[in-house]
Structure formats: C-alpha cells, structure tokens
Amino acid sequence: MKEMFSVEQVAQKLEVTTRTIRNYLKEGKLEGTKVGGQWRFSLANIYDFLGKREDVVLESEISQRFLVEPPREDHSLIVLTFKITDISKIDEIKEAIVEHYNTMYGGSSHQRIFHYQLLADQLIRITLSGPTQYVLNFSSWINRLIEWRNASR
C-alpha cells in the first residue's frame, strides 16, 4: 500500500497552515482522497501540486545525496529563496518555472534536480542540483523571471 499523508502532515511539510491546504483542495490546486471522512494525499498528489515529476527526489534527499556521494568536479547545489511581492503571481511564477524546466531539462538527465517549495504565502524555495552550468543557467533564468514579475505589479 502506498504511503498517504494527512492534511496536517502536508501542511507541516509545505510549511503552511491546514487552512491553506484546505483552500488548495477547494480551489482544485491540490488533489487528494477522502478516507473515512478525512483527506489523505499520496506523494503523486503532492508532486503534482508542486509541479514536479515523480522521479524528482525530495529536498532532504538532494542534500543527503550531495553530501554523501563523492563530489563531482562539475556538480553544484544551490538553494534559492524568493519573496513574491504580489501573491496573485505565485501560481503564474511556478507554472513558468516548471514549464521552462520541463522544456529545457525535463527527462534529459537524472543528474539534474529541480525542487519547488511554497514555504509561506509569499515565500518560495527552489533547490537545484546537477552539472554546474545547469545550476548557474537555470538559477539565473529563475532570478530574472522573479525580478521581472515582482517589478511588474
């Protein structure tokens, strides 16, 4: 049986309130399954919400892998945290980043890792790991996108 998570567990993992999780459900942004009258979420539900493919690993696994495996000369890890000034643009920004990742990098290598996380109503964290050029190029593109979106209020 696959592992299922409660509203409280998902809220804690995403660092939002349970009310926010219930709002995501109501708005159709997050899908789940009712079991005994309570919402339960699979990893696939959470990955879909975050805009990730299922083969993308969680951030803690990224950090552990990066620290445990022998470092490669051409490998880097970066964690970016952004405050989004206009909360209504968070979904738009997430979709643009995910679309760019899938278009430019998706499926081409398991050496590239991208993780998007909504920390709070106006804070997002993006973790990138992989060949140094990928990390530098994608992080620069993300930074320009967010600066542009934050400036165009």
Side-chain angles (χ1 to χ4, degrees):
M1 183 175 185
K2 62 183 177 179
E3 187 174 11
M4 300 294 280
F5 302 92
S6 68
V7 169
E8 292 77 16
Q9 290 170 316
V10 173
Q12 183 179 17
K13 191 72 174 161
L14 298 178
E15 298 180 14
V16 296
T17 65
T18 57
R19 181 173 204 73
T20 299
I21 296 299
R22 293 182 195 290
N23 286 339
Y24 289 153
L25 281 163
K26 185 177 174 183
E27 295 164 5
K29 293 179 182 179
L30 176 63
E31 292 183 11
T33 304
K34 277 217 170 178
V35 177
Q38 296 184 344
W39 284 104
R40 294 289 185 248
F41 307 92
S42 67
L43 277 177
N45 295 139
I46 297 166
Y47 287 155
D48 287 344
F49 171 74
L50 295 173
K52 301 186 319 179
R53 297 186 331 256
E54 283 194 51
D55 62 342
V56 178
V57 295
L58 296 176
E59 185 175 354
S60 61
E61 295 172 19
I62 295 170
S63 301
Q64 287 173 356
R65 181 188 311 166
F66 195 82
L67 295 173
V68 172
E69 290 179 0
R72 291 179 41 179
E73 190 174 310
D74 67 336
H75 239 64
S76 297
L77 170 75
I78 189 168
V79 178
L80 308 164
T81 304
F82 296 99
K83 182 172 179 114
I84 307 302
T85 54
D86 183 349
I87 194 167
S88 68
K89 293 186 181 179
I90 285 181
D91 287 335
E92 180 184 320
I93 288 168
K94 176 182 139 186
E95 288 171 18
I97 293 169
V98 170
E99 180 180 336
H100 184 78
Y101 175 81
N102 288 334
T103 301
M104 298 300 293
Y105 309 109
S108 64
S109 172
H110 290 290
Q111 295 178 352
R112 291 182 179 95
I113 295 172
F114 160 64
H115 178 250
Y116 174 98
Q117 182 180 19
L118 180 63
L119 298 177
D121 286 338
Q122 289 183 278
L123 226 59
I124 60 172
R125 177 187 298 151
I126 299 166
T127 305
L128 304 172
S129 175
T132 300
Q133 202 57 51
Y134 154 74
V135 171
L136 292 173
N137 289 343
F138 196 25
S139 62
S140 294
W141 182 89
I142 291 168
N143 190 51
R144 287 191 308 274
L145 171 78
I146 291 177
E147 284 179 354
W148 179 74
R149 300 287 177 160
N150 276 338
S152 62
R153 293 191 245 182

